[in-house]
Amino acid sequence: MHVTEGEGRHARRFGLPVATALVMGNIIGGGIFLLPASVAPYGTVSLLAFGVLTAGAVALALVFGRLAARDPSTGGPYVYARAAFGDFAGFLAAWAYWITTWVSNAALAVAAVGYLDVLVPVNDHRWTACLAALVIQWLPALANFAGSRYVGAVQLVSTVLKFVPLLLVAVGGLFFFDAGNLGPFDASGTGTVGAVSASAAILLFSYLGVESAAVSAGEVKDPRRTVGRATVIGTAGAAFVYLLGTLSVFGTVPHDRLVGSTAPFSDAVNAMFGGGWGGWAVALAALVSMTGCLNGWTLLSAQTPYAAAKDGLFPAAFARRRRGVPTVGVGVTVVLASLLTVYNYASGSGQVFETLVLVTTFTATVPYLLATAAQLFHLVSGGRERVDRARLVRDAVIASVAAAFSLWLVAGAGYAAVYQGVLFLFAGVLVYAVLAARRSDARDPVTGTPVP
């Protein structure tokens, strides 16, 4: 990575531990603290959805690892889509991923306020809660402005700290497990297939982030090896915590109580040890988790536009770096997320925000699908000359599973989310048209070379 004067003290490449923490920290954000209650209305059949989602997420992780070994550049899915299919596909991947990151940041901040309220009452007034959500967003942004060195430090510390209470519930809960608390297998009454699909739609948002190391590949040491290993280890570790934690909560909190819970992990700790101290401890852990997740997502939200801007596919301002971080991308992203947060509180409707969260599930599938399509393209067009037949078949099967998983994400997002997500994408097409026209004007009409 090129480091200009004044950046060297703050820019530092990530090793395997930090890259793995980035993946796990971005996947395991605030969702783990809310998921058991969110899927409880569907019954224990939701654990089956966890299994299917985990298989798909690991397949995606393997695809990103293979693509990063081919091209270890910052930008992840954007780089892979552009290399395989050209500028327009690359722009769509970058645009959709960028939408996903800043809407996700707003979602995490609003969710974090609920746990902050356990420690410091802020939910009594709408605008007090809004201010708290904005502060929660801007603190990680400031860490990013300080430089990539501090981003890695915050990410590693927050990931380690949040696993202490998570593992306490996930492992400790097994010693207090009571099968009578599980409730029915299918509590929705829609049948196994319908219940799996419905619960999966809720769980999808919590698995976003498998591409984290690939997106930041330019800041990773030995990315051809490290990105793939960090992605698979981080995804598998996150899945393990998700499954074990949810199962333990299911087995310690009675089903009828869990359905209406707003803090399921707090309820689980209280059921295990009694008293009210568990609610405070888990709330603190949730805040650490969400802050660490916001820290990582803030970095990712700037990396993809940065890579696209360097190629002329995003406004040039996004290519500016300071202390190893694309500061303009960080600033624009946190401002947009803040505006969305204010809109959410001003509207007074949680349903509006829930729809926007599902929009991120849809927009994330655009770069996921383009990345898996790029992998299939490379395998079909030239794989036979470069790899042995056994590896070719294995990689093709993994890429096909990842593609099917991505399509399932689209279906799980629902009609309203797909409709609004397509509007976001079409707005991006207009932006691309303007940028493409400017690039065309800046080239010699005869030779096609850039004009000085």
Side-chain angles (χ1 to χ4, degrees):
M1 179 176 63
H2 176 69
V3 180
T4 59
E5 186 177 353
E7 286 186 3
R9 291 178 299 130
H10 301 275
R12 178 178 297 175
R13 288 181 178 267
F14 303 154
L16 179 61
V18 173
T20 302
L22 188 67
V23 175
M24 294 189 71
N26 286 346
I27 295 177
I28 304 177
I32 184 63
F33 295 97
L34 302 172
L35 279 179
S38 299
V39 298
Y42 300 98
T44 53
V45 70
S46 57
L47 296 175
L48 180 60
F50 259 124
V52 177
L53 285 169
T54 299
V58 170
L60 269 176
L62 291 169
V63 167
F64 283 127
R66 296 293 295 162
L67 288 168
R70 180 186 297 274
D71 188 351
S73 303
T74 293
Y78 156 73
V79 173
Y80 314 142
R82 183 170 182 260
F85 308 120
D87 287 350
F88 184 62
F91 172 82
L92 280 182
W95 182 263
Y97 192 78
W98 185 52
I99 293 170
T100 301
T101 55
W102 60 262
V103 177
S104 296
N105 287 354
L108 284 170
V110 172
V113 171
Y115 281 94
L116 177 63
D117 187 63
V118 177
L119 306 174
V120 181
V122 294
N123 270 337
D124 292 340
H125 301 285
R126 181 192 305 176
W127 295 114
T128 303
C130 180
L131 178 61
L134 294 176
V135 170
I136 290 170
Q137 286 179 48
W138 278 90
L139 287 177
L142 293 176
N144 274 265
F145 284 131
S148 59
R149 173 181 184 174
Y150 301 104
V151 174
V154 171
Q155 194 68 32
L156 189 58
V157 170
S158 64
T159 300
V160 171
L161 288 178
K162 73 183 174 186
F163 270 93
V164 174
L166 286 176
L167 291 177
L168 171 65
V169 174
V171 178
L174 298 179
F175 295 95
F176 297 87
F177 192 90
D178 182 358
N181 291 327
L182 292 176
F185 177 71
D186 177 13
S188 67
T190 60
T192 301
V193 175
V196 167
S197 297
S199 56
I202 297 174
L203 298 172
L204 299 180
F205 178 74
S206 300
Y207 272 77
L208 301 181
V210 297
E211 70 293 332
S212 303
V215 171
S216 297
E219 282 68 49
V220 175
K221 296 177 183 177
D222 189 16
R224 295 185 188 277
R225 286 190 62 205
T226 303
V227 168
R229 293 168 63 194
T231 301
V232 173
I233 295 171
T235 301
F240 174 77
V241 173
Y242 273 152
L243 287 166
L244 194 60
T246 302
L247 179 62
S248 292
V249 173
F250 274 15
T252 53
V253 182
H255 179 263
D256 56 350
R257 183 181 174 190
L258 183 59
V259 169
S261 174
T262 58
F265 271 72
S266 294
D267 291 340
V269 171
N270 288 334
M272 290 161 57
F273 304 112
W277 65 270
W280 184 90
V282 172
L284 183 60
L287 280 175
V288 171
S289 173
M290 293 175 186
T291 302
C293 189
L294 277 168
N295 178 66
W297 274 107
T298 300
L299 175 63
L300 293 185
S301 68
Q303 295 288 23
T304 298
Y306 165 76
K310 285 175 58 180
D311 297 325
L313 298 180
F314 246 68
F318 284 87
R320 297 175 188 167
R321 291 171 71 97
R322 183 171 178 267
R323 296 176 174 176
V325 173
T327 50
V328 173
V330 170
V332 172
T333 295
V334 73
V335 167
L336 288 173
S338 297
L339 291 174
L340 183 59
T341 301
V342 172
Y343 169 75
N344 176 64
Y345 281 102
S347 68
S349 172
Q351 189 62 40
V352 173
F353 201 76
E354 289 171 7
T355 301
L356 288 173
V357 167
L358 286 175
V359 169
T360 68
T361 301
F362 168 72
T363 55
T365 63
V366 176
Y368 286 176
L369 274 171
L370 287 170
T372 53
Q375 173 70 343
L376 289 170
F377 169 80
H378 292 307
L379 293 172
V380 173
S381 64
R384 290 176 178 83
E385 291 98 27
R386 291 193 295 270
V387 298
D388 60 75
R389 185 171 297 275
R391 169 170 283 186
L392 178 64
V393 172
R394 183 194 67 187
D395 287 350
V397 170
I398 291 173
S400 299
V401 171
F405 173 68
S406 300
L407 288 173
W408 190 39
L409 298 186
V410 175
Y415 291 107
V418 172
Y419 168 75
Q420 296 194 29
V422 168
L423 291 180
F424 276 117
L425 291 180
F426 281 4
V429 172
L430 299 178
V431 174
Y432 178 81
V434 174
L435 294 173
R438 290 182 176 177
R439 290 202 314 277
S440 178
D441 289 343
R443 292 179 178 273
D444 186 281
V446 177
T447 65
T449 57
V451 177

